[in-house]
Amino acid sequence: MNAADDVLTILRTRSLSGVLEREIEKAILAGEIPAGKRVNENLLATRFGTSRGPVREALRALEGLGLVELIPNRGVFIRQPELEEAIEIYDVRTVLFGHAGKLLAERATETVIARLRDYLEQMEAAARSRDFDSYYPLNLAFHEFIIDSCGNATLAAQYRGLVKKLHLFRARSLVQGGGLEVSNSEHREMVDAVAARDPERAQRAHAEHVARAKARLIAACRKAAGEAQPQPN
Amino acid sequence: MNAADDVLTILRTRSLSGVLEREIEKAILAGEIPAGKRVNENLLATRFGTSRGPVREALRALEGLGLVELIPNRGVFIRQPELEEAIEIYDVRTVLFGHAGKLLAERATETVIARLRDYLEQMEAAARSRDFDSYYPLNLAFHEFIIDSCGNATLAAQYRGLVKKLHLFRARSLVQGGGLEVSNSEHREMVDAVAARDPERAQRAHAEHVARAKARLIAACRKAAGEAQPQPN
DNA sequence: CGACGAAAAACTGTCAACAGTTTTCTCTTT
DNA sequence: AAAGAGAAAACTGTTGACAGTTTTTCGTCG
């Protein structure tokens, strides 16, 4: 991410359908449009004060990103992953995040490591005072920072796409609060491994952090389903 | 990939812009449209006998897939990765393919392993007789089969997307012929590791197979550039 | 002969309208 | 009262046209 990319981003956002793409994506991820339901083009067009053309274009872009699904003559539907797909996504995320950790341990500058430690301290402070409202965004920013600092923009883009898709999983809320202290001890191990310049250890720490989130999700789903349907993996 | 997915694919292809998306993607990957150049909407529309609307929608879908780039008021440009990005893509591919190998070793049925061995034999036969024309598609099918058989459709989709992007790299041709026997000995190790049900070994074998392709690409680029610009990694 | 600038052509962005399909509603029949 | 057929409404798919921007062309000046 350099200055040229920023300019490009601004320019892309200038075009009407570009703005629509972002706005509709935001609306979808915020859950404004009922998941799994059809997206009404006319409604969106009138809502944003445009014609249906740009709306359709934005929706096709979102289709390419994998957030919606197109069924001919029926319309655009918001994708809603089943548990099986959520597990798949978590598995890929695990691998990518693990690799990000490895890269970080190999390449991170001292400045980056200092910022990681800074995030860690803030999160620990928030966890101690049970301040979930400030912990959550911190946690998010921490993970974003790791992905952005690993030095592989392609990996970062792929990872972000996966996280977005995971937002569409119906039972996502089940895994939201996954224990502040538990999560933070994992964070500490991640940062320590990076600071120790140990790629293997960093990879393991980062991967296991996501893998445990996956495990929590599966456990929560099983519990919610009343142990009705045993899940593999 | 099951029957339901096939039906969906057929349905998607039925819509005009869906067909256009595939056709335009094919044209781009085949290099019909000069890489890096602007894509002319009118030209494509007349070529396919439609209006510009569906063409624009198809292009926006391809934008979401990361094959083209949209610059407002200037048009759609075919993305052309620099060496740096190609390396990034190879790195992610390495990780994903490695994981596919690991999954395969854990889950592959005997039928799958038998087919892997079958591919291997055919490729070895083609390599012995220096029959490159039949080796290349076999090699492609072999990799596709691995990705499809690992049991993670999300991983498969991501991997395929990366391969497509790599097709846009200008110097891709440099790495095309990477030594038939070398490549095949790597293939043998991959299959053996899977057949031995050794996930760690399979992961290593699969990852290294892609990593070596990356190394060949970098070496070829350096050579082509006359050792002018030393590349990291 | 090259560079600059204005006019013209080409192209993209957006819209409104029409055709065809799907969905909903209503009325009839059992 | 429930089920089914037919009509009406709603919605998607596609088109052609117009407005605004960019690119090219062409003529002029240094």
Side-chain angles (χ1 to χ4, degrees):
Chain A
M1 288 292 150
N2 51 33
D5 285 327
D6 287 351
V7 172
L8 268 177
T9 304
I10 291 169
L11 283 174
R12 276 193 55 209
T13 313
R14 280 215 190 283
S15 99
L16 182 47
S17 59
V19 178
L20 284 183
E21 184 187 332
R22 292 177 182 255
E23 287 300 317
I24 295 173
E25 179 186 308
K26 209 160 53 175
I28 290 174
L29 292 182
E32 285 181 38
I33 303 164
K37 198 81 177 79
R38 199 189 74 244
V39 177
N40 192 319
E41 294 175 3
N42 263 314
L43 231 67
L44 284 177
T46 51
R47 169 174 167 178
F48 293 109
T50 70
S51 72
R52 276 173 51 223
V55 171
R56 283 179 65 88
E57 288 183 20
L59 288 174
R60 290 305 296 264
L62 291 177
E63 190 209 359
L65 286 169
L67 294 183
V68 301
E69 195 168 354
L70 200 80
I71 301 178
N73 289 323
R74 303 244 347 248
V76 174
F77 292 76
I78 297 176
R79 283 211 54 198
Q80 192 162 30
E82 293 301 310
L83 176 59
E84 193 190 329
E85 188 180 350
I87 292 174
E88 283 189 6
I89 295 173
Y90 261 112
D91 274 344
V92 180
R93 254 188 81 177
T94 300
V95 175
L96 292 184
F97 200 63
H99 192 62
K102 184 185 173 192
L103 291 177
L104 214 54
E106 288 169 354
R107 306 175 178 175
T109 61
E110 288 303 323
T111 319
V112 166
I113 293 176
R115 278 199 64 181
L116 287 173
R117 289 212 178 284
D118 194 45
Y119 272 119
L120 199 60
E121 273 178 35
Q122 289 186 53
M123 284 190 289
E124 281 176 348
R128 267 194 301 274
S129 53
R130 293 274 186 277
D131 184 0
F132 189 76
D133 286 344
S134 57
Y135 182 85
Y136 183 64
L138 270 172
N139 185 36
L140 220 67
F142 176 65
H143 287 83
E144 285 280 308
F145 182 68
I146 289 173
I147 283 294
D148 282 334
S149 305
C150 78
N152 187 326
T154 301
L155 187 153
Q158 300 261 332
Y159 184 86
R160 260 186 257 274
L162 293 175
V163 171
K164 280 178 192 168
K165 279 186 203 160
L166 223 39
H167 267 78
L168 300 178
F169 182 55
R170 58 191 156 69
R172 181 180 61 97
S173 56
L174 290 176
V175 87
Q176 281 288 37
L180 272 58
E181 291 86 358
V182 177
S183 189
N184 238 346
S185 77
E186 291 171 20
H187 290 162
R188 172 162 290 283
E189 167 60 12
M190 283 157 54
V191 175
D192 283 347
V194 169
R197 304 286 184 192
D198 187 338
E200 294 270 338
R201 183 178 152 204
Q203 177 169 29
R204 208 181 321 122
H206 284 71
E208 278 181 8
H209 181 56
V210 180
R212 288 200 185 105
K214 176 186 113 178
R216 281 197 295 271
L217 177 81
I218 295 174
C221 283
R222 274 199 190 142
K223 196 173 176 183
E227 281 82 12
Q229 41 186 2
Q231 289 298 143
N233 215 337
Chain B
M1 287 296 148
N2 51 32
D5 286 327
D6 288 351
V7 172
L8 269 177
T9 305
I10 291 168
L11 284 173
R12 275 194 55 209
T13 312
R14 279 213 190 284
S15 100
L16 181 47
S17 59
V19 179
L20 284 182
E21 183 187 333
R22 292 180 180 252
E23 288 299 318
I24 295 173
E25 179 186 308
K26 208 158 55 175
I28 289 174
L29 292 182
E32 285 182 38
I33 302 164
K37 198 81 177 79
R38 197 188 75 242
V39 177
N40 192 321
E41 293 176 4
N42 263 314
L43 230 68
L44 284 176
T46 52
R47 169 173 168 180
F48 293 108
T50 70
S51 70
R52 275 173 52 223
V55 171
R56 283 178 66 88
E57 288 182 21
L59 288 174
R60 289 304 297 263
L62 292 177
E63 189 210 359
L65 286 170
L67 293 184
V68 300
E69 194 168 354
L70 200 80
I71 301 179
N73 289 324
R74 302 243 348 247
V76 174
F77 292 75
I78 298 176
R79 281 210 56 197
Q80 192 162 28
E82 293 301 309
L83 176 58
E84 192 191 330
E85 188 178 351
I87 293 174
E88 282 188 6
I89 295 174
Y90 260 112
D91 275 344
V92 180
R93 254 188 82 176
T94 300
V95 174
L96 292 184
F97 201 62
H99 192 62
K102 184 185 173 190
L103 290 176
L104 214 55
E106 288 169 354
R107 306 174 177 175
T109 62
E110 288 303 323
T111 319
V112 167
I113 292 175
R115 279 198 63 180
L116 286 173
R117 289 210 179 285
D118 195 45
Y119 273 119
L120 199 59
E121 274 176 34
Q122 289 187 52
M123 284 191 288
E124 281 174 350
R128 268 194 301 274
S129 54
R130 292 274 186 277
D131 184 359
F132 189 76
D133 286 344
S134 58
Y135 182 86
Y136 182 65
L138 271 172
N139 185 36
L140 220 66
F142 176 66
H143 286 83
E144 286 279 308
F145 182 69
I146 290 173
I147 283 295
D148 282 333
S149 306
C150 79
N152 187 325
T154 301
L155 188 151
Q158 301 261 332
Y159 184 85
R160 259 185 258 273
L162 292 176
V163 171
K164 280 178 192 168
K165 278 186 204 159
L166 222 39
H167 268 78
L168 300 178
F169 182 55
R170 58 191 157 70
R172 181 180 61 97
S173 58
L174 291 176
V175 87
Q176 282 287 39
L180 272 59
E181 291 86 358
V182 178
S183 189
N184 237 346
S185 76
E186 290 171 22
H187 290 161
R188 173 161 290 282
E189 167 61 12
M190 283 157 54
V191 175
D192 283 347
V194 169
R197 304 286 184 192
D198 187 338
E200 295 269 339
R201 183 178 152 205
Q203 177 168 31
R204 209 181 320 122
H206 284 71
E208 277 181 9
H209 181 56
V210 180
R212 287 200 186 104
K214 176 186 114 178
R216 282 198 294 272
L217 177 81
I218 294 174
C221 283
R222 274 198 191 143
K223 197 172 174 183
E227 282 81 14
Q229 41 187 3
Q231 289 299 143
N233 216 337

